[in-house]
Amino acid sequence: MSAAPSRNAPCPCGSGKRYKDCHGALSSFAGPAVSTDVAAPQPPPSQVQDALLEARTAMSSGDMASAERHWRLALASDADDAEANFHIGNLHREHEDAPAAVACYERALGRAPGNASVLNNLGLALELAGERDRALGCYREVLAADGAQADALGNVANALFERNDLAQSAEAYAKLVAIRPALPAAVWVRRALVLQRMGQLAEAEGSLREAARAQPDDPRILANLGSICIEQGKHGDADEPLARVRELEPHNAYALSMLAHARAQRCAWSGIDELFDDIARLLDAPAVDGVAVAPMPLLAMPLAPLLLRKAAERWSRALALSAGATSRAMLPTADGDGRLRVAFVSSDFREHAVAVVISEMLERLDRDRLEVFAYGLLPADTGPAGRRIAAAVEHFADVSALPADAIARRMREDGIAVAFDLNGYTRNARPEVFALRPAPLQINSIGYPGTLGAPWYDYIHIDRFVAPEGSKHLYSERYLRMPHSYYASDTTRAPSGPPPSRAQCGLPEAAFVYCSFNNTFKILPAVFAAWMRILAPTPNAVLWLLDTSAEARANLGKEAQRRGVAPHRLIFAPRVDIASHMARHAAADLFLDTAPYGAHTTCNDALLAGLPVLTCVGESFASRVAGSQLHALGLPELVTRRIDDYEALAVALATTPGRLAKLRSRVAANRHDHALFDMEAYARALEDRVIEAWQRHLAEHRNKSHDSDHA
């Protein structure tokens, strides 16, 4: 659950536009209101009455200039006239002159106390002025007199959403839908945003479908609909609305990237290369209509790393428009015991890949050097993973119900010196918290394999392999460079006990088993074609993949057939618990990595389970993580740089059993004496680098203060 955005923040619908230019612009459920509802209780002087009559006539014919002129004539004779003040207030509000609008509405209320139209529009003007509590009071005053007043219900729902009071907002929308089912599309969209934030995704989708029925060719609504389908894993359902956006707005890079991502999830590759080309061209050009592209799906596309940085920077600039964003926090007061206060912030303190790799590292951090905090962005997980994270740190806080500014304030009050963002731009992230600078030093770490392109991230957590010499131009952050692989590991999850048989895994006993347990969106046509070329000269080999959906399974079978490989040679592994997943690696012979988004936790799983991993690295961070881990385990020969070398080595290892056996022995032995799985050394190295970064920050702060003193 996350806070509603400010009006200048990126719209939570994912369009990449500012909230006020997207769905925030649709927030005024109350229309211009009917002037006859705000007539003064006493007949006005004849000249005022005449002016109002002329204004009504002009307004009905659409001559707003004449209407305004007559309203102002009425006010010249009677400055407190309710009807004229109401309409002039509306004009001020349309021009975003909130103080003038508020003054007019308040004068109107002097003559027409309790008038629903005036109170509604006063509330809208107060919202424009940033006085949200007073605005909500106006709407509630209307509803106290008439609980079925639709305008007030809509405005209350909007106001509660912006206060992050999602349950009451949803309740107000439910009442509104009950009394007025034929709502404008904008209201259905706003209701969908509330339901989405509450995790009621199916209901949110239903609301968006109502909006689409009202406005079937609105690109924003269709993009929202496609996005909510993707969020539910209904990737096939996302295709139609997103493809329609492509027809309506071929320059909409956001919609194109989501369409490509949805098709990659299904391994539905028809036209996907053209989509990738269009996305690259749009990313390389100036932004059109302010639309930014969600950076995370781009990591799995064949895009130049500089384009990934450009997309991240564009996304962060939209975030930077949020009111209150700052470049530097105040230095926290030093704790009495002298320890550095460090925080880890994530939505993934649960059964998630990030929790899998960081748990042991957190447990091994030296509490004599660091005081460790964790802030959970989703409701606290009460399962084993969540309990373990909470026990691993000194201070755990569930901040899921708090808006961004309250989370940032809480972290400042806790005196956090260094904050690790373990989400970046992934699902359920709250990057707006970091834009508010809750800590003087902020680090992009582990959860997002690439630059975040934002000035409020000081460092990126890397190593020399994922970010080699000459790559600094690809990152907006400084390097917090680990001596070996930056990727942490939980060695306690290593398999124990007898492994399952091949028969239990649904595998042929005598086959050579290649496997790749990466998510299907990482399997692109080029890497799949390489796999098929690997299978061709090894007729006794099979490829063991993660079963993500029936559609992906069927599509991959068709693609194999098209490339001359029998579909039955693709075997799909169901999702199982971590212990069972770790144990079944023993049934495979060689893990084949994907490109350009390679294996991260899945590579770590395989190597910890004793299974060799073959990777082909590229230039992007996401393509180099498996290579980083292999170097840290002392197996650099499994890191290739060209796809034909990758294919040749995969075939050679399948056809020379002795060579592969030696590699497996080295994986098993090196797990105990190489850096990749030495979490004690990892924890010490991370502490050293964090403390060094903090000392550097203090020195820079002192130097800046000294320069200011002598300016």
Side-chain angles (χ1 to χ4, degrees):
M1 192 182 301
S2 57
S6 78
R7 293 182 62 75
N8 282 317
C11 188
C13 74
S15 69
K17 295 184 178 181
R18 290 187 298 178
Y19 178 61
K20 75 176 185 180
D21 296 327
C22 193
H23 293 106
L26 308 175
S27 63
S28 301
F29 183 77
V34 180
S35 61
T36 53
D37 290 341
V38 274
Q42 298 296 324
S46 59
Q47 63 269 32
V48 175
Q49 192 172 22
D50 290 345
L52 293 176
L53 181 60
E54 291 291 340
R56 293 176 197 139
T57 302
M59 189 178 179
S60 65
S61 64
D63 187 354
M64 296 307 297
S66 177
E68 180 182 355
R69 186 168 60 254
H70 285 94
W71 287 323
R72 293 194 182 279
L73 285 172
L75 290 177
S77 298
D78 182 358
D80 294 324
D81 180 78
E83 182 176 344
N85 270 303
F86 174 76
H87 285 293
I88 294 298
N90 287 345
L91 293 174
H92 285 309
R93 184 167 58 84
E94 289 167 10
H95 289 89
E96 298 194 354
D97 186 350
V102 169
C104 286
Y105 293 139
E106 287 178 338
R107 282 196 295 271
L109 284 174
R111 289 276 182 87
N115 181 276
S117 295
V118 178
L119 282 168
N120 266 317
N121 286 18
L122 173 58
L124 294 171
L126 289 167
E127 283 193 60
L128 184 62
E131 298 186 53
R132 294 181 180 179
D133 289 344
R134 284 187 63 197
L136 186 58
C138 290
Y139 307 142
R140 283 175 166 161
E141 186 177 342
V142 175
L143 292 175
D146 179 6
Q149 220 283 346
D151 288 350
L153 276 170
N155 288 331
V156 159
N158 293 344
L160 290 169
F161 171 67
E162 297 203 9
R163 289 162 61 99
N164 204 44
D165 192 341
L166 301 180
Q168 286 197 54
S169 178
E171 183 180 345
Y173 275 123
K175 290 178 181 177
L176 179 60
V177 168
I179 65 172
R180 189 185 287 182
L183 290 166
V187 181
W188 286 113
V189 171
R190 289 296 300 271
R191 178 174 182 262
L193 291 176
V194 173
L195 294 169
Q196 180 185 25
R197 290 292 183 86
M198 296 178 70
Q200 298 178 18
L201 301 182
E203 294 84 350
E205 181 190 342
S207 195
L208 285 171
R209 291 195 180 280
E210 291 291 341
R213 272 190 278 274
Q215 291 181 213
D217 284 335
D218 185 310
R220 289 180 298 174
I221 293 171
L222 294 170
N224 290 345
L225 181 56
S227 296
I228 202 77
C229 289
I230 289 173
E231 194 171 349
Q232 296 174 86
K234 298 166 63 175
H235 301 108
D237 291 346
D239 199 280
E240 182 178 351
L242 292 171
R244 180 59 179 151
V245 178
R246 188 186 189 190
E247 294 173 359
L248 295 166
E249 291 185 349
H251 59 269
N252 189 323
Y254 173 81
L256 265 62
S257 68
M258 297 308 289
L259 178 60
H261 181 64
R263 289 182 177 177
Q265 290 276 11
R266 299 154 52 216
C267 300
W269 297 330
S270 176
I272 201 167
D273 289 329
E274 290 80 4
L275 266 175
F276 292 150
D277 290 342
D278 288 345
I279 292 163
R281 176 176 49 80
L282 290 168
L283 289 176
D284 203 29
V288 177
D289 297 334
V291 175
V293 181
M296 182 64 190
L298 302 178
L299 300 180
M301 300 180 193
L303 301 171
L306 273 176
L307 291 182
L308 300 178
R309 175 173 177 170
K310 182 178 286 191
E313 287 175 339
R314 191 173 292 173
W315 194 256
S316 75
R317 282 196 293 272
L319 282 168
L321 294 172
S322 175
T326 181
S327 62
R328 181 67 64 183
M330 296 295 291
L331 289 174
T333 302
D335 191 30
D337 61 12
R339 295 183 298 164
L340 189 65
R341 290 187 170 183
V342 175
F344 295 86
V345 184
S346 181
S347 63
D348 300 328
F349 296 139
R350 58 198 65 254
E351 202 72 44
H352 186 278
V354 169
V356 164
V357 298
I358 68 167
S359 297
E360 185 178 353
M361 177 270 288
L362 291 177
E363 291 165 345
R364 290 181 180 271
L365 290 175
D366 187 348
R367 295 192 178 186
D368 290 333
R369 305 180 80 189
L370 305 180
E371 185 175 0
V372 182
F373 294 69
Y375 298 92
L377 300 178
L378 287 181
D381 174 39
T382 58
R387 293 198 306 269
R388 185 178 177 191
I389 293 284
V393 300
E394 288 182 71
H395 312 280
F396 182 87
D398 175 355
V399 294
S400 59
L402 297 179
D405 58 349
I407 297 173
R409 185 166 57 250
R410 165 71 183 271
M411 292 174 67
R412 292 191 199 105
E413 290 170 353
D414 287 342
I416 301 303
V418 182
F420 286 79
D421 182 355
L422 299 175
N423 275 115
Y425 297 138
T426 59
R427 184 177 178 183
N428 299 315
R430 299 285 296 278
E432 65 273 20
V433 173
F434 286 86
L436 294 172
R437 268 288 178 184
L441 278 190
Q442 302 188 156
I443 300 173
N444 166 16
S445 177
I446 292 182
Y448 184 85
T451 184
L452 295 175
W456 51 84
Y457 290 103
D458 304 286
Y459 288 91
I460 183 170
H461 187 179
I462 54 90
D463 59 60
R464 290 188 182 278
F465 190 86
V466 294
E469 294 301 326
S471 63
K472 284 190 176 180
H473 63 293
L474 303 178
Y475 302 90
S476 64
E477 307 92 339
R478 291 181 178 183
Y479 288 169
L480 190 81
R481 181 178 270 155
M482 296 291 283
H484 302 289
S485 179
Y486 85 101
Y487 214 67
S489 175
D490 172 24
T491 62
T492 68
R493 76 190 196 280
S496 59
S501 67
R502 282 194 165 179
Q504 289 173 310
C505 294
L507 296 168
E509 289 291 345
F512 185 92
V513 179
Y514 294 108
C515 81
S516 186
F517 292 142
N518 286 344
N519 277 310
T520 47
F521 73 87
K522 297 182 181 182
I523 304 174
L524 298 186
V527 78
F528 189 78
W531 289 349
M532 298 304 98
R533 290 193 294 269
I534 290 167
L535 288 179
T538 53
N540 70 322
V542 296
L543 179 59
W544 196 19
L545 302 171
L546 189 65
D547 191 359
T548 59
S549 72
E551 188 174 10
R553 191 167 63 243
N555 284 337
L556 288 173
K558 291 175 185 175
E559 291 291 340
Q561 185 78 57
R562 195 166 69 84
R563 290 170 170 82
V565 174
H568 72 263
R569 296 179 67 186
L570 306 184
I571 299 173
F572 293 88
R575 292 189 182 274
V576 294
D577 61 84
I578 288 177
S580 300
H581 174 65
M582 293 298 296
R584 69 184 175 185
H585 283 86
D589 292 298
L590 180 65
F591 188 108
L592 296 178
D593 198 10
T594 48
Y597 198 146
H600 297 180
T601 302
T602 45
C603 173
N604 200 267
D605 290 341
L607 295 175
L608 185 61
L611 178 64
V613 174
L614 176 62
T615 189
C616 184
V617 301
E619 295 181 9
S620 70
F621 188 133
S623 73
R624 301 179 68 85
V625 177
S628 165
Q629 295 184 52
L630 286 163
H631 275 270
L633 194 61
L635 292 160
E637 63 266 47
L638 289 173
V639 181
T640 66
R641 286 168 172 77
R642 300 191 319 155
I643 200 69
D644 52 351
D645 294 335
Y646 169 88
E647 294 174 25
L649 186 51
V651 173
L653 291 174
T655 54
T656 52
R659 185 177 177 185
L660 182 61
K662 289 179 181 178
L663 279 172
R664 291 188 75 108
S665 296
R666 284 173 57 201
V667 172
N670 291 4
R671 284 181 300 169
H672 304 292
D673 59 13
H674 277 64
L676 183 62
F677 297 119
D678 186 348
M679 284 301 99
E680 189 69 22
Y682 183 101
R684 298 294 81 74
L686 184 62
E687 293 160 12
D688 289 343
R689 277 143 187 80
V690 169
I691 291 170
E692 288 167 6
W694 179 247
Q695 293 300 326
R696 187 181 305 115
H697 170 70
L698 292 178
E700 291 171 353
H701 181 79
R702 284 193 296 269
N703 290 338
K704 287 181 181 178
S705 298
H706 180 76
D707 291 343
S708 297
D709 290 341
H710 293 80

